[in-house]
Every structure is written in C-alpha cells, then in structure tokens.
Amino acid sequence: MSKSKMDVESLLEQIEIMREELVDIGLRDGLTASSTLEYSQLLDERIKVYQKMLKDT
C-alpha cells in the first residue's frame, strides 16, 4: 500500500472519530454552543484536506 493511500485512510479514520465527537459535543453543549461550532470548523478543515488529497491522487 502506498504512503499516500495510507495517509488518506488515516485521515478518513480521524474524520470519522471527529464526527462522533462532534455529535457528543453537540448533544452535551448544544448545537449552537461555541465549543460545538469551533469543533465543527476543525472537522470541516480536515474534510477539506481529505477532499484535496483525493483530488490529487
């Protein structure tokens, strides 16, 4: 397996974990809480990196 493919798969695993954590944060703090919005933005950035990696491979 190539390094880039491993990187893409690792990033996808991180994204899935972050999605689960975002749901937990949203349920705990509320969907409009600053903690939820900040974590959502972090997740968005990871997703953008993942999409770029897919496009570049």
Side-chain angles (χ1 to χ4, degrees), residues 30-49:
L31 297 179
T32 59
S34 62
S35 57
T36 305
L37 299 176
E38 289 171 15
Y39 201 80
S40 178
Q41 290 173 341
L42 290 174
L43 177 56
D44 288 345
E45 291 301 317
R46 288 281 169 98
I47 292 170
K48 288 177 191 175
V49 170

Side-chain angles (χ1 to χ4, degrees), residues 8 47-57:
V8 169
I47 292 170
K48 288 177 191 175
V49 170
Y50 173 74
Q51 290 173 331
K52 184 175 181 341
M53 289 174 79
L54 287 182
K55 183 180 172 187
D56 293 344
T57 57

Side-chain angles (χ1 to χ4, degrees), residues 9-26:
E9 290 179 5
S10 174
L11 186 57
L12 184 58
E13 288 177 18
Q14 291 175 10
I15 289 170
E16 291 302 322
I17 291 168
M18 288 181 76
R19 283 183 177 157
E20 292 175 12
E21 291 173 347
L22 179 59
V23 169
D24 291 341
I25 294 168

